[in-house]
Amino acid sequence: MIAVRYTPRLADLIPAEAPDAKLGPAAWSGYLAFDHRKEPTSNVDLRRALAHAVDRQALADVMPMNMVVATGGIVPPALEGHTPDIALRFDPDLARQHLGRSGFQRGLAVTCLEDNIPILHPVLESWRETLGIEIEIRPWRLEAAMTLKEPSEIAPIYFTGWLPGYPDPEYYLRLLFHSDSRTNEGGFAYTAFDELIERARQERSDRSRLELFHEADRMAVADRVAVIPLVYGRSLAIVKPWVKGWWEFGKTSSSFADLIIDPSSPRA
């Protein structure tokens, strides 16, 4: 078994101008998630303040080659059902208004895998400058995953990601945000959202089903700020030149069945 982490540090080792490099579609999402079960991050006005205080232009300046800044919903661009341009825009005045409504006046803690600190740095700086609150970063090492049940044990805000197990928006919207889902992100619960997801699951028209999932994406990201999408990522694979037929999408490993080894290569 070979474990590969698709981190900025790994991607930075690959030159963007490499002649044989092939950039596939952005098929997974990286986002800031919240502990919705307790204060302060159960407060939707605080979450809206944080979302409006993300300067995505500053975030774009630190993107590695395998990631792009997320400006749409939680469903990534490679999946049918991606909803573009719904992430709350950078608006310092509106961010401060929501912060005032939240009543929050203390500091916040954020956690992430230590390799992802370069991605979070411009976001945290933007929060500090826009909202005037103290932000503590609590990074964790991969080795801690053996004993860590949830990142929210370290901090109520955490950077994480989700890869599609199958190419359908349901894999994101139902599994991450439906209150009955075992993989629900941070305990998010909203009755109107659950009802919308159930309508989408029962819909027999493909077009109507897709429209309902678009609505659910807008509700989760733009209205309730269940998470804040930050990046869409491309899986990164380093393949020898005599290996042909490699492709990758989400969690599937079926690409191994399509591999062809060039027997004429002296290194094969």
Side-chain angles (χ1 to χ4, degrees):
M1 178 180 295
I2 301 176
V4 178
R5 287 179 288 158
Y6 303 118
T7 63
R9 187 175 300 173
L10 175 61
D12 287 344
L13 298 176
I14 311 300
E17 66 276 7
D20 296 328
K22 298 180 180 179
L23 296 180
W28 55 268
S29 296
Y31 51 89
L32 285 167
F34 302 98
D35 185 347
H36 291 273
R37 292 159 291 204
K38 57 187 178 183
E39 292 285 351
T41 45
S42 61
N43 187 317
V44 68
D45 273 310
L46 176 60
R47 300 197 303 270
R48 287 173 180 153
L50 294 173
H52 278 299
V54 174
D55 184 348
R56 295 179 190 275
Q57 182 55 55
L59 185 59
D61 293 339
V62 301
M63 283 295 98
M65 67 172 290
N66 68 322
M67 296 181 186
V68 295
V69 175
T71 58
I74 190 65
V75 180
L79 269 66
E80 187 177 26
H82 169 67
T83 313
D85 302 323
I86 62 169
L88 296 184
R89 69 187 188 282
F90 180 50
D91 188 328
D93 291 336
L94 191 54
R96 287 187 281 267
Q97 290 177 26
H98 281 296
L99 183 65
R101 292 176 193 146
S102 74
F104 182 77
Q105 297 178 337
R106 305 185 302 279
L108 284 170
V110 181
T111 188
C112 68
L113 182 66
E114 60 181 6
D115 287 353
N116 289 320
I117 290 178
I119 291 177
L120 279 194
H121 179 73
V123 175
L124 305 187
E125 285 301 304
S126 182
W127 284 357
R128 293 184 182 108
E129 294 175 8
T130 302
L131 301 174
I133 57 179
E134 292 295 323
I135 306 291
E136 177 188 0
I137 180 71
R138 300 174 183 172
W140 56 282
R141 294 173 177 262
L142 189 63
E143 294 79 6
M146 300 298 294
T147 56
L148 185 66
K149 292 182 179 180
E150 295 184 12
S152 59
E153 294 177 352
I154 301 175
I157 306 174
Y158 51 97
F159 180 72
T160 186
W162 193 250
L163 285 77
Y166 49 86
D168 191 280
E170 178 190 12
Y171 196 85
Y172 276 80
L173 295 165
R174 180 177 67 85
L175 296 185
L176 285 179
F177 304 127
H178 195 290
S179 60
D180 288 340
S181 172
R182 293 184 179 181
T183 50
N184 175 282
E185 194 64 83
F188 176 76
Y190 190 53
T191 301
F193 181 87
D194 287 353
E195 293 173 349
L196 187 56
I197 290 297
E198 292 305 321
R199 286 173 55 201
R201 295 180 68 191
Q202 296 170 22
E203 179 57 58
R204 293 297 174 260
S205 164
D206 288 343
R207 181 173 181 177
S208 297
R209 179 180 182 273
L210 202 56
E211 288 175 351
L212 289 170
F213 277 126
H214 281 305
E215 186 179 346
D217 207 356
R218 286 189 291 269
M219 183 181 291
V221 171
D223 179 24
R224 304 307 298 176
V225 195
V227 296
I228 301 176
L230 293 184
V231 301
Y232 300 128
R234 303 178 180 95
S235 295
L236 179 64
I238 302 174
V239 183
K240 293 292 187 179
W242 57 84
V243 178
K244 309 297 181 182
W246 174 262
W247 59 273
E248 187 169 346
F249 183 87
K251 294 180 180 178
T252 180
S253 298
S254 59
S255 52
F256 289 110
D258 298 330
L259 293 182
I260 298 174
I261 305 299
D262 183 359
S264 65
S265 172
R267 301 183 182 181

